[in-house]
Amino acid sequence: ETGVTQTPRHLVMGMTNKKSLKCEQHLGHNAMYWYKQSAKKPLELMFVYSLEERVENNSVPSRFSPECPNSSHLFLHLHTLQPEDSALYLCASSQDLGDRVTDTQYFGPGTRLTVL
Amino acid sequence: AQKVTQAQTEISVVEKEDVTLDCVYETRDTTYYLFWYKQPPSGELVFLIRRNSFDEQNEISGRYSWNFQKSTSSFNFTITASQVVDSAVYFCALTPRPNTDKLIFGTGTRLQVFP
C-alpha cells in the first residue's frame, strides 16, 4: 500500500457506541494529523502528533481521544458522540514538524462518520 | 488574523473551457506558504502545489497554472482545457510561517465539468 490509508471508509454509530478510526501512513513521515471536515465549513485541525507525541490539541471535546503508538499509525477513539459530530474525518502526515521549511501534508481518503 | 477566502462556492463549465479558481488570503507574517489541494468525490485531499511567499514566479504544470500576486494577496489557480476528471472540490490553504503546521483552509470551490 502507498500513501496514507484510513479505515473504515464509512462508519455509522449510535451515540452510546465506542468505535475507533485508524490511519496508517507508508511515507516514512514523522508527523500525523487528524482533521474534521463538516459540510460547508473549512477543514478543522483536531490533533497533531510528532514522533508519537501530541503537540497540538485544538480544544477538541474529550469524547474524541487520539492515540499514536508509533510514527506510522494514528487512531481516533470515539465514545458518546453527538449527531453534530457526523463529518468526514481526514488523516494526514508530513515529513516533520519543527524549525524547518514547512512540509507538505499528504492526506488519506477519510472516514465518513454518521452518528445517529 | 490569518484567513483564506474562496469566494466562488461552485463553478460549472463545459469540457475544454478554461476555468480560474480564485483564492485570496490574509496574513501578517512576511513568510508563509500557500497550497492548493484537490478533493475528488473519493474524499482524499490530493496535494497540487506549494508556494512560498518569496517566490512570486507563476508556475505551470500541464493544464494547471498558478498565479501568485502578493500585491493583491491572491493565489489563483487556472485549469486550461478542462476535463470531466477535473470535477472536484478545490481548496486553497495557507501556513502562516515555517515551523508551524497549521494549515488554514478556505471553504473550497466545487468545480463541475460537464461533457
Side-chain angles (χ1 to χ4, degrees):
Chain A
E1 295 216 56
T2 58
V4 181
T5 58
Q6 291 186 242
T7 55
R9 294 295 308 277
H10 300 272
L11 178 62
V12 179
M13 59 188 287
M15 289 192 285
T16 58
N17 292 156
K18 289 184 181 181
K19 296 285 185 184
S20 295
L21 310 184
K22 179 182 174 183
C23 174
E24 185 173 358
Q25 58 94 2
H26 310 269
L27 301 168
H29 289 167
N30 292 319
M32 297 186 77
Y33 312 74
W34 279 117
Y35 286 85
K36 175 183 179 183
Q37 186 179 26
S38 306
K40 299 184 181 176
K41 291 175 71 175
L43 274 84
E44 302 169 56
L45 179 65
M46 299 174 73
F47 302 104
V48 182
Y49 275 81
S50 175
L51 295 171
E52 300 110 63
E53 284 190 28
R54 191 189 310 181
V55 296
E56 183 120 10
N57 176 348
N58 275 355
S59 304
V60 179
S62 60
R63 56 186 184 269
F64 295 92
S65 173
E67 179 192 359
C68 188
N70 55 63
S71 59
S72 298
H73 293 86
L74 184 65
F75 294 89
L76 189 62
H77 304 299
L78 317 170
H79 64 98
T80 58
L81 294 192
Q82 306 297 311
E84 60 264 29
D85 297 321
S86 298
L88 180 68
Y89 288 85
L90 289 160
C91 174
S93 71
S94 68
Q95 182 63 52
D96 275 304
L97 294 180
D99 298 333
R100 300 183 235 181
V101 171
T102 297
D103 290 309
T104 299
Q105 293 181 29
Y106 295 89
F107 286 78
T111 295
R112 174 73 61 189
L113 174 67
T114 303
V115 182
L116 300 175
Chain B
Q2 285 92 24
K3 186 179 175 184
V4 175
T5 301
Q6 295 179 256
Q8 303 151 309
T9 307
E10 191 161 339
I11 301 174
S12 295
V13 299
V14 177
E15 226 175 0
K16 297 184 184 174
E17 283 186 28
D18 298 347
V19 58
T20 295
L21 309 180
D22 297 333
C23 173
V24 175
Y25 62 91
E26 295 175 32
T27 180
R28 290 181 182 166
D29 292 281
T30 55
T31 302
Y32 51 89
Y33 291 78
L34 296 163
F35 300 79
W36 275 95
Y37 284 87
K38 172 183 179 180
Q39 188 175 39
S42 57
E44 70 190 279
L45 283 166
V46 178
F47 165 72
L48 296 178
I49 190 171
R50 181 178 85 189
R51 212 79 182 128
N52 75 57
S53 52
F54 298 110
D55 183 1
E56 285 194 71
Q57 216 170 16
N58 291 331
E59 179 150 343
I60 298 174
S61 175
R63 295 184 299 107
Y64 294 170
S65 62
W66 290 269
N67 183 359
F68 176 29
Q69 299 214 347
K70 285 179 81 169
S71 60
T72 55
S73 298
S74 65
F75 186 43
N76 296 338
F77 172 31
T78 298
I79 302 175
T80 304
S82 58
Q83 300 176 2
V84 173
V85 293
D86 296 327
S87 298
V89 181
Y90 290 86
F91 291 93
C92 182
L94 164 73
T95 294
R97 64 182 191 275
N99 73 30
T100 175
D101 290 88
K102 288 182 193 274
L103 262 180
I104 299 165
F105 284 89
T107 50
T109 297
R110 180 177 298 280
L111 173 65
Q112 295 202 57
V113 182
F114 294 98

